Amino acid sequence: MNTIPFRPMRPGVTLSGIDQAADIVGWLWQPKYDDERAVITPDGRVWTRFGKPFSPRKLPPNLTKHPGETLDVLLIGFRTGEKPRRWLIVDRPDRPGPYWQRMLNLPAAMVPPGRSTAKEAWELARSIPGTEGIVGRRVLAPYCQGDSSDMVKIKWRKNI
């Protein structure tokens, strides 16, 4: 197989500022890293979000050490031109149910930190190097491929 048969879930909405998210409830808000998305398939192969295989020399250590299920991951530091040093799991597409249920039983160090309000996540993300804003996910949403209205992003303004 030369491509993966699906596309990772991505923010289908971009908000222009934190004030637009003030009244959104029932969502988990997380830092948006300046990262590269990847998909790990059950056989341990790693694919780009466009369905092309990643070169093993471009991957962080231990990335394929989670066999047996599909993982949607962030490669932190990939866009800086150096080999990514770490990776985080952002979803488990093969698992049924809402987002919160798909993410159960993962070690905290393996997932981006989350907050229940966009404002709290905004403040947290501002303190983490390598972030470019925040991402919100509706916690009751099922996994869907591609752009989804159950995910939003808010990026820093250039002058912040």
Side-chain angles (χ1 to χ4, degrees):
M1 172 174 24
N2 291 330
T3 62
I4 55 174
F6 69 93
R7 297 182 315 155
M9 187 172 175
R10 298 178 36 87
V13 177
T14 300
L15 301 179
S16 62
I18 190 68
D19 56 318
Q20 289 186 314
D23 297 328
I24 299 175
V25 295
W27 289 58
L28 177 68
W29 296 90
Q30 300 170 309
K32 183 190 180 318
Y33 294 88
D34 185 10
D35 61 77
E36 185 68 27
R37 290 284 287 282
V39 174
I40 304 173
T41 51
D43 60 7
R45 291 191 289 170
V46 183
W47 306 86
T48 70
R49 67 184 165 124
F50 304 109
K52 303 295 180 194
F54 261 107
S55 166
R57 72 184 195 307
K58 294 182 178 180
L59 299 174
N62 300 321
L63 183 64
T64 59
K65 300 296 185 209
H66 203 292
E69 71 177 308
T70 302
L71 298 175
D72 184 350
V73 301
L74 306 176
L75 302 178
I76 309 296
F78 185 88
R79 292 184 182 166
T80 62
E82 48 188 81
K83 187 172 185 170
R85 293 174 300 283
R86 60 188 275 237
W87 57 283
L88 298 172
I89 300 170
V90 292
D91 214 327
R92 297 159 110 177
D94 290 345
R95 292 188 174 223
Y99 178 74
W100 71 267
Q101 197 172 40
R102 293 192 306 272
M103 298 301 284
L104 281 177
N105 302 320
L106 286 173
M110 297 290 297
V111 297
R115 300 293 186 264
S116 60
T117 70
K119 183 175 169 104
E120 291 171 330
W122 187 265
E123 294 303 317
L124 170 66
R126 299 283 298 168
S127 69
I128 300 173
T131 60
E132 57 184 17
I134 60 175
V135 173
R137 297 169 181 272
R138 192 169 62 85
V139 296
L140 296 177
Y143 193 88
C144 72
Q145 295 184 47
D147 294 347
S148 171
S149 60
D150 291 322
M151 283 183 76
V152 300
K153 69 180 173 182
I154 306 170
K155 292 177 87 172
W156 314 138
R157 291 188 193 111
K158 298 289 185 200
N159 61 355
I160 291 181

